[in-house]
Amino acid sequence: MEQPSSSLIKEQAVNGDQADSSATTQKKHYIQRDDALYLRVTLSFFTVGFATFALLYFVQPILPLLSQDFNISPATASLSLSLSTGLMALGLLITGPISDAIGRKNVMVISLTCAALFTLLSSVMQSWQGILIARALVGLSLSGVAAVAMTYLSEEIHPSYVALSMGLYISGNSLGGMSGRLMTGVIADYYSWRVAVVILGSLALIAAIGFWRLLPPSQHFRASSLKPKSLWVNLHLHFRDKGLPWLFVEGFVLMGGFVTMYNYIGYRLLEGPYYFSQSTVGILSLIYLTGTYSATKTGSLTLKYGFGNILIAAIALMLAGILLTLHANIWIILLGMTALTTGFFAAHSVASSWVGRRAKRARGQASSLYLFSYYAGSSIAGTIGGIFWLNYGWNGVAFFIAVILLLGVMIAYKLKSTC
């Protein structure tokens, strides 16, 4: 009787190991809401979402101060945010596939730590060019957090609770954006914006340590190849999907409208007839709290009414909000800001969790593509909004935002009918 070759024996052994590994994997359970790990995971991602938005958006209320200190225009000052989000968008195309190959947790911890250190570096930069370089490095670092967070949740949390977990993560985003804006606005009024930056960078370092200690390792992660051929195959798969490409464009629209409003509303309210102080402009970030609620609530609403219906309603609320800001009465303006903020976080929660549900494989890459469009919207639309402000004032900015949000409503209807 012919004996099997040594190569055949090795192949059978490898196949046996893979089968055992597969069997072990099948025994592992997704994290459910009543599991002990669920609190650790949600608290971890709430923390990292908080730190990410705080580091990205703390510059918004101090854009007028940057214009004054460095003698630059509003559109040029907005580059301190646009460069961060632009480099973040580009980094997402790299860090997502990297996390698909080497894992999730380490990528996120290293990325948040680097972002905190570069933020501290920006506090001592004396030239505008130095500020922009440091801010670009912050955005590039944070791409490793943003690209992986949604993927980890979609892999580890039971599908029934992914939308809820994503909403909690995004509520951390809203609180981080609020706190970063609030701190810099108030501290800059009494001390300086550089002091605020040091405090934010230090808090982000603490958040990175807490995230590292709290977050459990991935259980359902399966490494995929970084070879260009594999990346191309996965990319082709994503763009053949009926819904994913539209969700990517929707991310651009949502973030573009949201960031543009907050970039330039401060300029409007610092001028007459309002003459708000820098502290008051910063305190307006408390409006982000409505986003904390809407992002969390949206998870349960999608289970009841469907992703498409909630997405349409959320973007329609954003559109109504920006139209309200055209009124001269300050209370109606604040109501409009609140409506737009509430709608944005709800819409982003729906769209981001929808990406995780639709991606068949290489979810890290799919999340990266969505977030690439999302932060590209922040970078591109946020800068273009400065041109409208310079030439047409707030009416021009509001018109620009309304147009892209109308496009967002049309895309939401398309998603509802095709997905």
Side-chain angles (χ1 to χ4, degrees), residues 127-201:
S127 69
W128 181 241
Q129 291 75 16
I131 294 288
L132 292 183
I133 291 171
R135 290 291 297 164
L137 291 173
V138 168
L140 188 61
S141 299
L142 287 175
S143 67
V145 179
V148 185
M150 294 195 314
T151 308
Y152 180 101
L153 290 173
S154 64
E155 287 178 343
E156 305 300 324
I157 302 296
H158 191 279
S160 299
Y161 304 108
V162 168
L164 175 60
S165 299
M166 203 74 73
L168 291 170
Y169 164 62
I170 292 171
S171 71
N173 291 170
S174 68
L175 278 177
M178 178 202 74
S179 301
R181 288 171 50 84
L182 179 61
M183 286 179 61
T184 51
V186 174
I187 295 173
D189 218 11
Y190 289 95
Y191 299 98
S192 77
W193 62 267
R194 295 184 186 273
V195 173
V197 173
V198 170
I199 294 174
L200 281 172

Side-chain angles (χ1 to χ4, degrees), residues 153-384:
L153 290 173
S154 64
E155 287 178 343
E156 305 300 324
I157 302 296
H158 191 279
S160 299
Y161 304 108
V162 168
L164 175 60
S165 299
M166 203 74 73
L168 291 170
Y169 164 62
I170 292 171
S171 71
N173 291 170
S174 68
L175 278 177
M178 178 202 74
S179 301
R181 288 171 50 84
L182 179 61
M183 286 179 61
T184 51
V186 174
I187 295 173
D189 218 11
Y190 289 95
Y191 299 98
S192 77
W193 62 267
R194 295 184 186 273
V195 173
V197 173
V198 170
I199 294 174
L200 281 172
S202 301
L203 290 175
L205 273 178
I206 296 171
I209 295 171
F211 183 70
W212 169 61
R213 296 295 299 273
L214 278 174
L215 187 68
S218 300
Q219 296 297 316
H220 295 274
F221 169 73
R222 293 294 171 266
S224 61
S225 175
L226 270 176
K227 294 179 180 179
K229 182 179 179 180
S230 298
L231 295 177
W232 176 254
V233 169
N234 292 333
L235 182 69
H236 185 63
L237 179 68
H238 296 326
F239 278 95
R240 286 187 61 186
D241 185 89
K242 291 182 179 180
L244 284 175
W246 291 110
L247 285 167
F248 300 155
V249 178
E250 195 74 284
F252 182 100
V253 167
L254 295 176
M255 193 57 154
F258 177 71
V259 166
T260 302
M261 185 194 75
Y262 274 101
N263 272 3
Y264 302 103
I265 196 70
Y267 286 97
R268 181 189 186 190
L269 297 179
L270 286 169
E271 295 180 347
Y274 311 105
Y275 297 110
F276 278 21
S277 68
Q278 193 66 52
S279 294
T280 305
V281 171
I283 291 171
L284 290 180
S285 62
L286 289 172
I287 293 172
Y288 271 60
L289 289 173
T290 63
T292 303
Y293 172 79
S294 66
T296 307
K297 185 67 175 177
T298 299
S300 59
L301 291 176
T302 54
L303 295 176
K304 186 175 182 180
Y305 298 105
F307 282 78
N309 288 327
I310 299 301
L311 184 59
I312 292 168
I315 302 175
L317 182 60
M318 292 179 69
L319 180 58
I322 196 60
L323 294 178
L324 285 174
T325 65
L326 289 169
H327 202 281
N329 184 282
I330 185 60
W331 296 109
I332 296 179
I333 293 172
L334 294 178
L335 178 62
M337 293 175 64
T338 301
L340 187 144
T341 303
T342 303
F344 164 73
F345 282 104
H348 175 41
S349 180
V350 174
S352 58
S353 58
W354 208 347
V355 169
R357 287 172 64 95
R358 291 203 63 87
K360 302 298 187 298
R361 54 190 286 187
R363 287 174 172 168
Q365 187 184 44
S367 296
S368 294
L369 289 168
Y370 170 78
L371 290 171
F372 170 81
S373 298
Y374 178 80
Y375 288 109
S378 172
S379 182
I380 296 171
T383 301
I384 293 174

